[in-house]
């Protein structure tokens, strides 16, 4: 299980995320700046205190921090965002986890 934690004094952002898939198990992330969901039918940008939402994604999800971006590409799954907690259940993924550092793409 991969966990990215920052001490309480350094947390700038309230969003945290749980990502579950069969290949990697549970991964938890904290101090997330924003989450981008890109599906066939829609684009969604989730920031702090965003309204509760539940949906299905067929595309990609980006978890964006200040210093890096984690991109889950070519996935099909289900997500929920409520009270600054984002949960993603990946049903199938044909791409690998990609990290980019620095600039947001």
């Amino acid at each position: 299980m991969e966990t990215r934690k920052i001490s309480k004094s350094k947390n700038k952002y309230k969003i945290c995320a749980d990502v579950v898939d069969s290949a990697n198990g549970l991964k938890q992330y904290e101090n997330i700046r924003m989450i981008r969901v890109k599906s066939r039918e829609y684009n969604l940008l989730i920031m702090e205190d965003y309204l509760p939402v539940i949906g299905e994604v067929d595309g990609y999800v980006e978890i964006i921090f200040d210093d890096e971006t984690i991109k889950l590409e070519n996935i099909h799954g289900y997500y929920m965002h409520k009270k600054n907690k984002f949960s993603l259940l990946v049903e199938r993924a044909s791409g690998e986890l990609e990290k980019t550092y620095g600039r947001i793409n």
Side-chain angles (χ1 to χ4, degrees):
M1 175 174 75
E2 177 183 338
T3 303
R4 176 192 168 104
K5 291 193 176 190
I6 307 290
S7 66
K8 289 282 184 194
S9 61
K10 292 187 179 185
N11 277 352
K12 289 172 61 175
Y13 305 108
K14 296 188 279 185
I15 300 175
C16 60
D18 291 342
V19 178
V20 179
D21 68 3
S22 59
N24 301 309
L26 173 67
K27 292 188 179 186
Q28 297 178 312
Y29 304 97
E30 291 184 351
N31 201 29
I32 298 169
R33 190 168 124 203
M34 67 182 93
I35 297 171
R36 180 178 294 127
V37 179
K38 172 76 168 99
S39 195
R40 284 187 206 181
E41 321 260 316
Y42 62 89
N43 295 314
L44 182 63
L45 184 63
I46 297 172
M47 298 179 79
E48 284 184 13
D49 300 325
Y50 193 78
L51 69 132
V53 65
I54 188 167
E56 181 177 359
V57 61
D58 191 11
Y60 69 86
V61 173
E62 287 181 332
I63 301 172
I64 302 167
F65 303 93
D66 274 343
D67 58 346
E68 72 178 296
T69 299
I70 296 173
K71 188 171 185 177
L72 299 136
E73 292 186 299
N74 300 320
I75 63 168
H76 181 266
Y78 305 92
Y79 64 89
M80 179 179 74
H81 179 76
K82 182 179 176 184
K83 296 184 180 179
N84 291 314
K85 172 132 180 157
F86 182 81
S87 302
L88 175 66
L89 175 62
V90 179
E91 188 175 56
R92 66 175 161 72
S94 57
E96 289 295 318
L97 183 73
E98 175 186 312
K99 286 187 181 182
T100 57
Y101 296 93
R103 206 175 117 222
I104 298 172
N105 296 335

